[in-house]
Amino acid sequence: MRGVDHQPTPEERDLFAKASPITTQHQGDLHPYLPIPLPTDPTTLTGLLAPPELAAEPAYPRLLSGGIVGLATSQYLDQNERTTALHVLATVPGIEYRGTTSDLAGRAGLAFRVFADASTTTLIIDPATGELLAAQERIAAPRPGLFSSVLILQRSHTDADGVPPEPIRSVSAVHTR
């Protein structure tokens, strides 16, 4: 599809900041992606994100990285939960660290790439907070192209009284082998 690889110009990036914010308040019947509280053990969280019985399948790395994206886009993760999710990401079979890059909004992040089952998934992580900034999945065959793209411009949450908590500025380093 023409234009899929277009990278925004600085003028186009300014449109992100000028966009009107949309706040959605959910109460009652909205359920999180995974049960709360999330497990603090990466192995347990891995089992919730992708069925362990599929670990030998070619698509397993794609399922696991997709689970991380689903988790990060559907519920707020505190610093400990982000750290656990990053530990899971570090264990994805075939994951590659690709250095620093910028997302479509021009924010610098750490790029991680997963090749699995004829697709390439790229995740961009904020190096200061460990939050997911963006993710893209591209399919190589039989019809190549962009399959999905996620760009998180801002996220926040409130406690029971509706007051947003102070943001967390850093996260523990994650080491891979």
Side-chain angles (χ1 to χ4, degrees):
M1 188 161 54
R2 186 181 268 171
V4 167
D5 290 322
H6 172 74
Q7 294 297 308
T9 65
E11 294 79 24
E12 290 169 329
R13 284 192 185 112
D14 288 341
L15 295 175
F16 289 122
K18 293 176 185 174
S20 300
I22 298 172
T23 301
T24 305
Q25 205 166 20
H26 298 280
Q27 294 178 341
D29 62 348
L30 182 67
H31 301 286
Y33 185 74
L34 292 178
I36 297 174
L38 288 176
T40 56
D41 173 53
T43 303
T44 305
L45 182 57
T46 298
L48 292 174
L49 293 172
E53 58 272 12
L54 297 179
E57 296 295 324
Y60 183 74
R62 189 177 85 206
L63 292 172
L64 198 50
S65 60
I68 294 287
V69 172
L71 180 62
T73 58
S74 67
Q75 65 193 76
Y76 180 81
L77 303 177
D78 66 23
Q79 181 177 3
N80 292 333
E81 292 165 335
R82 284 193 306 268
T83 300
T84 303
L86 289 173
H87 280 283
V88 170
L89 186 61
T91 67
V92 173
I95 192 164
E96 296 178 351
Y97 173 63
R98 303 295 295 174
T100 57
T101 191
S102 295
D103 67 7
L104 289 175
R107 300 170 298 177
L110 306 175
F112 296 91
R113 188 166 63 184
V114 177
F115 293 106
D117 199 31
S119 78
T120 303
T121 302
T122 304
L123 294 92
I124 302 175
I125 307 292
D126 184 318
T129 65
E131 290 185 308
L132 179 70
L133 297 175
Q136 276 193 347
E137 183 179 4
R138 292 182 174 277
I139 305 297
R143 297 183 72 180
L146 182 65
F147 179 71
S148 69
S149 183
V150 173
L151 179 66
I152 301 172
L153 295 174
Q154 182 179 9
R155 70 170 52 247
S156 65
H157 73 289
T158 61
D159 59 15
D161 63 4
V163 177
E166 291 297 316
I168 296 171
R169 298 287 178 211
S170 65
V171 13
S172 304
V174 175
H175 300 282
T176 60
R177 294 179 207 199

